[in-house]
């Protein structure tokens, strides 16, 4: 899938995006449909395995080369895979770094080596590639998988985080079993507040600490201590004598896990100096090239379900911090200094679309480029990655018709460097995706959605509609490629995906409209979206379907207990009973005060009144439930409660259990395909013409 140039289809998509004025896109009148020009075959389930996407770009210190992770799906092992590739900023000299799978490429300060992570039979290890010799070697023998790989300024050391097991004395001493006896496995005692995590299972006792290791290989040395986790970021001091890190070292850190601070760790003495002091997260420390300033992200925690993450800078010489993005009502991410220490590049999401901006230490913030995204490979979530050095800014570029490609920002606009999917998608007819805005029936607020029209769409004809609802609930959809949307559209459905109130990228006030009231007004926004699609003449009002995952799962269940307008529904990994979830989810410490005002034993009624289970007697819509069997976020017991209640009430229902899957039921490609096919099969069962 490596090509020298950019395909005509992708170039056209890029040109169209750059030429479209945002106001014009937002003002598309109902019925003003962009037609699909391709006449190829439709996107199919097995085409998922042909997709590739760029991620984690890293620009060399001299700006002349870019390393990035080229990701895709392995059809034989049914896994996501990634390999590191190199490319010039003009798109030339595109080649793999090694033949090993790898992630997290990090350039040495002199640009002569790249350290990266790669899996082995023993676990994830650190590898080093010497560019001049084109040689790669493993340089670590680690007891655990490393994270936060960071070079020292002189290139002699690597800092990283490692899980460090704790040696707890057993609670009881069992009698010795007779020789040859086959006793049951020993009991496992749990005393930690956080004892299991979705996707990881039951946790081992221990903490994440910071280590340093010679870049030529050797023994890692633990440099942090205590029963605390030090996993929110690492930065070296300019002279390499100290590390800046983020951690929560409160005595009650398990209950107040969001309250991290920045620290300076002297590597010789081990002295730890606290640099910030506010209630809320202070994360991702990043030292300016001149060593004077420490940038970081965070906010003052006000106990809300959503907070806007801001970019701050700490003056290490004079003391004191100031916020650089106080006037930006959007959360920042992916921060990187310019080479002159005069300001920082960062990303944020605005109305579903990823953007990159530059914030100077003095002066006005300026926009750099739009179109960031495409790294969430399933549904059209916002996201993306960027990096900059020596005047080269590389990032992942996304459109509704392509997963993330690698691009660089220039004065004339973005320039695409890769075409990873031209051979897989150029001959396919994909769904045309259009952004629309409409007022909510609840209070007239403007709500944004996207409409994906099936290939061969005929203006004036009404189509069956799938309302697809995002999770979170504090998350956002956007104009990004999504296999799920494309496969639904390829099956002949009009797909409507919405950012109702509670969604991010529309500001603090919009997101917190659902504070202690979810689900609630977001239901009205979603119904208004369906009404808009019907009034526009696109959707058949007699052939409406709804699905969504996690937060979208609870809203799907809420819809079928508060409306009978849909022919069928699929609630994926839903919350059905907030009262039971508060005691069984792996994130139970955020249920209150963030999502509920009081704990369930003090005030149970808000938990019950916001639960679809409380209204199951109103449900008549045929409803399928899909959940991973190893889901610790919204455990399968939630779906089982709704399944059994619907059965007892005589409603058509089915329960689909995804073996070995956690909350991310689409993380393996076959699971993604299976989920989509089950949704389509359930809808097809009820998609007969109304008499």
């Amino acid at each position: 899938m490596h090509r020298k140039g950019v395909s005509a289809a992708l170039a056209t998509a890029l040109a169209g995006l750059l030429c479209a004025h945002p106001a014009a896109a937002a003002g598309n009148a109902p019925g003003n449909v962009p037609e699909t020009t391709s006449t190829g075959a439709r996107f199919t389930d097995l085409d998922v395995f042909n997709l590739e996407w760029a991620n984690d770009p890293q620009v060399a210190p001299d700006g002349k080369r870019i390393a990035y992770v080229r990701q895709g799906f392995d059809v034989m092992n049914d896994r996501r895979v990634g390999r590191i590739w190199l490319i010039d900023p003009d798109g030339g000299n595109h080649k793999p770094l090694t033949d090993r799978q790898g992630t997290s490429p990090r350039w040495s300060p002199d640009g002569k080596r790249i350290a990266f992570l790669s899996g082995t039979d023993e676990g994830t290890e650190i590898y080093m590639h010497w560019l001049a010799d084109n040689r790669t070697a493993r340089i670590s023998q680690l007891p655990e998988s490393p994270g936060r790989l960071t070079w020292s300024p002189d290139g002699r050391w690597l800092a990283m985080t490692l899980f460090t097991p704790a040696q707890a004395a057993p609670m009881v001493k069992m009698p010795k079993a007779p020789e040859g006896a086959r006793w049951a496995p020993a009991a496992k005692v749990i005393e930690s507040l956080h004892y299991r995590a979705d996707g990881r299972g039951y946790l081992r006792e221990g903490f994440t600490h910071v280590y340093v290791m010679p870049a030529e290989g050797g023994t890692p040395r633990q440099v942090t201590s205590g029963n605390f986790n030090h996993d929110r970021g690492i930065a070296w001091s300019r002279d390499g004598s100290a590390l800046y890190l983020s951690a929560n070292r409160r005595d009650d850190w398990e209950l107040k896990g969001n309250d991290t601070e920045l620290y300076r760790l002297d590597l010789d003495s081990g002295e730890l100096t606290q640099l910030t002091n506010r209630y809320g997260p202070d994360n991702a420390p990043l030292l300016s090239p001149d060593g004077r300033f420490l940038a970081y992200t965070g906010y003052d925690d006000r106990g809300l379900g959503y907070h806007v993450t801001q970019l701050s800078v700490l003056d290490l010489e004079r003391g004191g911090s100031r916020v650089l993005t106080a006037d930006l009502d959007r959360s920042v991410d992916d921060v990187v200094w310019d080479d002159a220490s005069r300001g920082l590049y960062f990303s944020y999401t605005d109305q579903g679309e990823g953007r990159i901006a530059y914030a100077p230490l003095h002066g006005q913030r300026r926009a750099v480029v739009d179109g960031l995204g495409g790294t969430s490979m399933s549904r059209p979530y916002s996201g993306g990655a960027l990096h900059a050095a020596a005047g080269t800014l590389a990032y992942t570029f996304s459109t509704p018709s392509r997963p993330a490609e690698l691009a660089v920002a220039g004065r004339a606009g973005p320039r695409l460097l890769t075409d990873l999917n031209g051979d897989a998608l150029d001959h396919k007819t994909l769904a045309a995706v259009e952004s629309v805005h409409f007022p909510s029936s609840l209070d007239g607020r403007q709500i944004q959605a996207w409409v994906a029209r099936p290939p061969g769409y005929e203006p004036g004809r009404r189509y069956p509609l799938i309302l697809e609802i995002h999770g979170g609930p504090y998350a956002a959809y956007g104009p990004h490629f999504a296999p799920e949307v494309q496969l639904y559209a390829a099956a002949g459905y009009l797909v409507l995906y919405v950012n109702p109130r509670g969604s991010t990228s529309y500001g603090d006030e919009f997101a917190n409209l659902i504070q202690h009231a979810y689900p609630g007004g977001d239901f009205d926004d979603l119904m208004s979206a369906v009404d808009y699609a019907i009034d526009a003449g696109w959707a058949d009002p007699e052939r409406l379907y709804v699905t969504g995952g996690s937060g979208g799962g609870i809203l799907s269940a809420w819809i079928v207990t508060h409306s009978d307008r849909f022919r069928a529904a699929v609630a994926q990994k839903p919350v059905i009973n907030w009262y039971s979830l508060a005691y069984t989810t792996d994130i139970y410490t955020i249920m209150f005060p963030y999502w509920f005002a009081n704990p369930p034993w003090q005030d149970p009624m808000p938990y019950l009144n916001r639960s679809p289970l409380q209204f199951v007697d109103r449900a008549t819509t045929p409803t399928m439930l899909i959940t991973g069997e190893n889901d610790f976020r919204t455990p399968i017991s939630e779906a089982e409660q709704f399944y059994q209640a619907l059965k007892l009430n005589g409603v058509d229902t089915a329960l689909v259990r995804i073996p070995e899957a956690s909350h991310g039921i689409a993380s393996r490609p076959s699971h993604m395909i299976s989920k989509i096919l089950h949704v389509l099969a359930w809808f097809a069962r009820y998609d007969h013409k109304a008499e």
Side-chain angles (χ1 to χ4, degrees), residues 255-473:
L255 284 170
K256 305 293 184 181
N258 203 36
D259 189 22
T260 56
E261 306 293 352
L262 298 183
Y263 295 87
R264 183 185 187 276
L265 173 67
D266 185 89
L267 291 175
D268 287 337
S269 67
E271 181 181 359
L272 198 62
T273 304
Q274 184 172 330
L275 302 178
T276 59
N277 184 22
R278 66 171 173 181
Y279 185 69
D282 293 322
N283 295 331
L286 187 66
L287 189 70
S288 62
D290 63 8
R292 292 181 55 197
F293 303 99
L294 192 67
Y296 60 100
T297 61
Y299 53 82
D300 291 287
D301 191 325
R302 296 172 288 150
L304 300 174
Y306 175 74
H307 297 84
V308 170
T309 300
Q310 297 176 321
L311 171 61
S312 297
V313 172
L314 171 64
D315 190 325
L316 294 173
E317 294 181 354
R318 300 178 181 178
S321 294
R322 61 189 180 97
V323 179
L324 296 186
T325 57
D327 62 337
L328 178 65
D329 191 17
R330 304 290 186 269
S331 288
V332 304
D333 201 0
D334 271 345
V335 178
V336 59
W337 282 97
D338 68 7
D339 295 291
S341 302
R342 294 176 180 171
L344 303 103
Y345 296 97
F346 65 92
S347 67
Y348 67 98
T349 305
D350 179 45
Q351 300 190 46
E353 183 174 0
R355 307 185 190 277
I356 300 174
Y358 176 78
L361 295 180
H362 305 285
Q364 295 295 316
R365 181 182 65 254
R366 62 178 174 85
V368 177
V369 73
D370 298 339
L372 177 78
T375 55
S376 177
M377 188 49 60
S378 180
R379 297 193 277 166
Y381 281 111
S382 58
L386 68 92
H387 190 250
T392 299
L393 172 62
Y395 66 103
T396 59
F397 176 83
S398 171
T399 71
S401 62
R402 284 294 189 276
E405 299 285 350
L406 191 65
V408 293
R411 292 183 178 179
R415 181 171 66 253
L416 281 176
L417 305 185
T418 61
D419 181 19
L420 304 180
N421 294 281
D423 50 359
L425 297 178
D426 278 357
H427 61 289
K428 296 287 183 178
T429 301
L430 299 176
V433 178
E434 175 189 0
S435 171
V436 296
H437 288 74
F438 52 87
S440 171
S441 62
L442 181 63
D443 54 12
R445 289 177 184 270
Q446 285 293 302
I447 306 298
Q448 185 176 23
W450 288 263
V451 179
R453 296 179 175 80
Y457 176 85
E458 300 175 10
R461 174 185 168 189
R462 291 186 180 271
Y463 289 81
L465 178 140
I466 293 178
L467 173 64
E468 212 287 335
I469 310 171
H470 72 63

Side-chain angles (χ1 to χ4, degrees), residues 579 596 599-600 602-611 614:
Y579 192 87
F596 290 86
Q602 288 183 359
D603 191 8
M605 292 314 298
Y607 291 82
L608 298 175
N609 290 335
R610 288 161 57 185
S611 297
Q614 189 79 344

